[in-house]
Amino acid sequence: MVSGVLFGSFAVLLILTVPIGISLGIATLITIFYSGTLPIEFLMKELVTSVDSFPLMAVPFFILAGEIMGKGGISERLFNVANALVGNKTGGFAIATIITCMFFAAISGSGPATVAAIGSIMIPAMVRNGYDKKFSTAVVAAAGSLGVIIPPSIPMVIYGVVGSTSIGDLFIGGIIPGLFVAIGLMVYAYFYSKKMGFKGMDEPTSLKKIWTATWEAKWALLIPVIILGGIYGGFFTPTEAAVIAVVYGLIAGMAIYRELSFRMLPKVLTDAALMTATILIIVGTATAFGRFLTIEQIPLKVANAMMAVSESPIIIMMLITLLLLVVGCFMDTLAAIIILTPILLPIAVQIGYDPMHFGIIMVVNLAIGFITPPLGVNLFVASGISGLPIETIAKAIMPFFFAMLITLIIIIIFPQLSLFLPSLGG
C-alpha cells in the first residue's frame, strides 16, 4: 500500500502537470504522512544531503559555461566549421547542423541548451535555404540530444555520483557512442534530403575554406580538448574542469570574440541560476523519492521480477531498455537516473555489464526521451524557436527516433564502443 500511495500520488500530480521536481517532493511527503514510519524531517534532510557533494558542483558550472558560450559567439563559429566541411553536399545544412550540435555538446553538457543555442541560428537558416520547416526543426531537436551523450554531460555527472562510477571514465566512454548516434542521425538526414532534393551551398568546399573557418573557431574547438584532456590527463577533476570551462568561456566571449559584454552577464547568470535551481530541486526530491523506494524494497522486487523472466543477459537488457524508453517519455532524465540507477545497476552488474558501459546505455536511452512526447524537453524548446506545434514536430522526428534506437542497440551489443577509450588509460 505504501508503494501504491507513493506511485499513485506521483502519477496524479504528473497528470495535473505539476512540475516534476515538485511532484516528486509532494508524493514523498504524502507517503511520509501515510506510512507514519519516517519523521517529516526526512524530506528536508534528503534535500540538503543529496546536493552536498563535490562532484555534483560540476553541474551548475557546466550549466553556466554553456550559457556563457551560447551567448558568446561560439555557436556561429562552430557552425562555420561544420558548414565548411559538408555544406556543399546533399543535405549539407542538415548534416552541418548535426555536426554543430556535436561540437556544442562537447561544451554545454545539456540537451535543451544545445537545441536553444544551435536552433535559434540553424532553423531559420535551413528554412531560408529551401529546407522544410518541420524537417529543420526535427533535425535540431534530435541532434540536441547529443548534448547529454557527448561529454561533458550533466546526466553522466549525476549517474557517476549515484552509481559510484568514475565521471572522467564516463566522459571518455561517451565519445564513441556519441559519434555513433550523430552518424545515425546524419545518415537519415542525408537520405531524406536526397529524396526531397535539399541541396547544400553552391560554392564548393576547399582546404582553404576549412582552414579559415577552423582558425576562426580555434578558441571554441579547444574547449573540449582542455576539458577532456585535463580530466583524463589527471590535471583536474570534472568539477574543476567545469570551473575552468566557465573562466575560459568568459575570456573567449568577452576578450577574444567580444560578443559577450558586461551588460549581458546578469542575464547569463540569471538563466544559469534558474536552470541550476530547477535541476537541484529535482536532484533533492528524486533522492528522497528513491530512498523511499529502497526502504520499501522496490529495487529487490524489480530485480527478482526481471531475473525471473529470463536468464539471457540480452533479453534482460532489452527489458531494461524498454523500461527506460517508457520512463523517458514521462520523467525528467536526472530524476530517472537518480531513482532508477540503484534499482537497475545491480541487475546490470549481475548479468555481466560493466557499470560504466551501463551508464552510457542509460544516458543514451534517456537522451531519446528528450524527443519523445509528452515530456520531450527538446520538442518544447524547438517548438518555441520554430513556432510549430509539438504534435507536428513529434511526427517529423520519428525517423530520427528510430535512428537513435538502432544506434542504442549497437551500443548495447558492442560494449567496446563504450569501454575502449577508458581502457587506454589503464
Side-chain angles (χ1 to χ4, degrees):
M1 282 299 295
V2 174
S3 300
V5 171
L6 185 65
F7 285 107
S9 55
F10 178 57
V12 169
L13 289 163
L14 285 183
I15 292 169
L16 295 174
T17 67
V18 178
I20 184 79
I22 306 301
S23 295
L24 288 165
I26 293 176
T28 305
L29 199 59
I30 290 171
T31 312
I32 289 173
F33 282 123
Y34 175 80
S35 66
T37 57
L38 291 171
I40 191 68
E41 292 83 3
F42 169 80
L43 179 59
M44 311 306 139
K45 180 183 175 184
E46 291 299 322
L47 287 173
V48 174
T49 57
S50 61
V51 297
D52 184 17
S53 164
F54 180 74
L56 203 59
M57 286 176 63
V59 173
F61 285 111
F62 275 129
I63 290 171
L64 180 56
E67 287 289 330
I68 290 169
M69 294 170 190
K71 294 179 174 67
I74 287 174
S75 307
E76 194 167 342
R77 286 169 175 83
L78 292 175
F79 168 69
N80 290 339
V81 175
N83 198 37
L85 289 168
V86 298
N88 66 327
K89 311 297 182 186
T90 298
F93 270 91
I95 297 172
T97 298
I98 296 169
I99 294 174
T100 308
C101 286
M102 195 169 63
F103 285 154
F104 195 80
I107 296 171
S108 71
S110 165
T114 302
V115 176
I118 307 304
S120 57
I121 298 170
M122 288 313 304
I123 293 175
M126 290 174 72
V127 172
R128 281 196 306 270
N129 283 274
Y131 286 72
D132 176 71
K133 194 174 187 180
K134 291 184 291 185
F135 173 72
S136 304
T137 308
V139 167
V140 174
S145 299
L146 295 170
V148 298
I149 303 172
I150 292 177
S153 162
I154 292 171
M156 286 182 188
V157 173
I158 301 298
Y159 175 86
V161 172
V162 177
S164 300
T165 306
S166 167
I167 297 171
D169 283 350
L170 285 166
F171 280 5
I172 301 299
I175 294 175
I176 295 177
L179 292 175
F180 260 79
V181 175
I183 290 168
L185 298 177
M186 286 183 221
V187 168
Y188 171 72
Y190 171 79
F191 282 108
Y192 183 83
S193 298
K194 189 174 183 179
K195 176 185 174 183
M196 302 302 293
F198 297 151
K199 304 293 182 182
M201 299 181 303
D202 292 330
E203 53 182 293
T205 189
S206 64
L207 288 176
K208 182 181 178 181
K209 187 176 179 182
I210 294 171
W211 170 253
T212 302
T214 304
W215 183 254
E216 288 180 356
K218 61 183 179 295
W219 302 109
L221 294 171
L222 272 174
I223 297 169
V225 175
I226 292 171
I227 292 173
L228 297 178
I231 293 172
Y232 215 52
F235 296 106
F236 39 74
T237 66
T239 302
E240 292 163 346
V243 177
I244 289 168
V246 171
V247 176
Y248 188 100
L250 284 171
I251 294 171
M254 300 183 78
I256 299 173
Y257 295 139
R258 298 186 178 180
E259 293 193 23
L260 185 69
S261 64
F262 281 105
R263 190 175 297 178
M264 296 167 66
L265 284 181
K267 170 69 173 165
V268 169
L269 292 170
T270 301
D271 289 347
L274 287 172
M275 191 178 296
T276 299
T278 302
I279 288 174
L280 292 184
I281 288 171
I282 292 171
V283 169
T285 54
T287 302
F289 189 95
R291 195 64 57 87
F292 229 113
L293 292 181
T294 304
I295 293 169
E296 289 297 305
Q297 296 187 323
I298 299 297
L300 182 61
K301 293 173 184 175
V302 172
N304 290 337
M306 284 192 170
M307 298 302 289
V309 172
S310 173
E311 294 182 358
S312 168
I314 289 294
I315 292 176
I316 293 172
M317 184 53 67
M318 289 305 167
L319 288 174
I320 291 174
T321 297
L322 183 60
L323 172 65
L324 289 171
L325 287 172
V326 173
V327 167
C329 293
F330 299 98
M331 188 177 289
D332 177 84
T333 300
L334 301 184
I337 289 173
I338 293 168
I339 293 170
L340 295 178
T341 297
I343 299 174
L344 300 178
L345 180 56
I347 300 174
V349 171
Q350 189 174 341
I351 61 176
Y353 280 79
D354 185 279
M356 203 272 295
H357 179 214
F358 180 69
I360 302 297
I361 292 171
M362 196 170 194
V363 170
V364 174
N365 226 311
L366 293 170
I368 297 175
F370 279 110
I371 61 171
T372 52
L375 196 69
V377 184
N378 285 9
L379 299 179
F380 287 94
V381 177
S383 174
I385 296 169
S386 67
L388 292 175
I390 297 292
E391 297 81 5
T392 302
I393 305 171
K395 289 178 183 176
I397 212 167
M398 285 309 295
F400 289 106
F401 167 82
F402 287 112
M404 293 182 73
L405 192 58
I406 291 168
T407 53
L408 170 62
I409 293 170
I410 293 171
I411 291 164
I412 292 172
I413 295 173
F414 299 102
Q416 280 306 310
L417 293 175
S418 302
L419 301 176
F420 174 69
L421 290 180
S423 70
L424 296 179

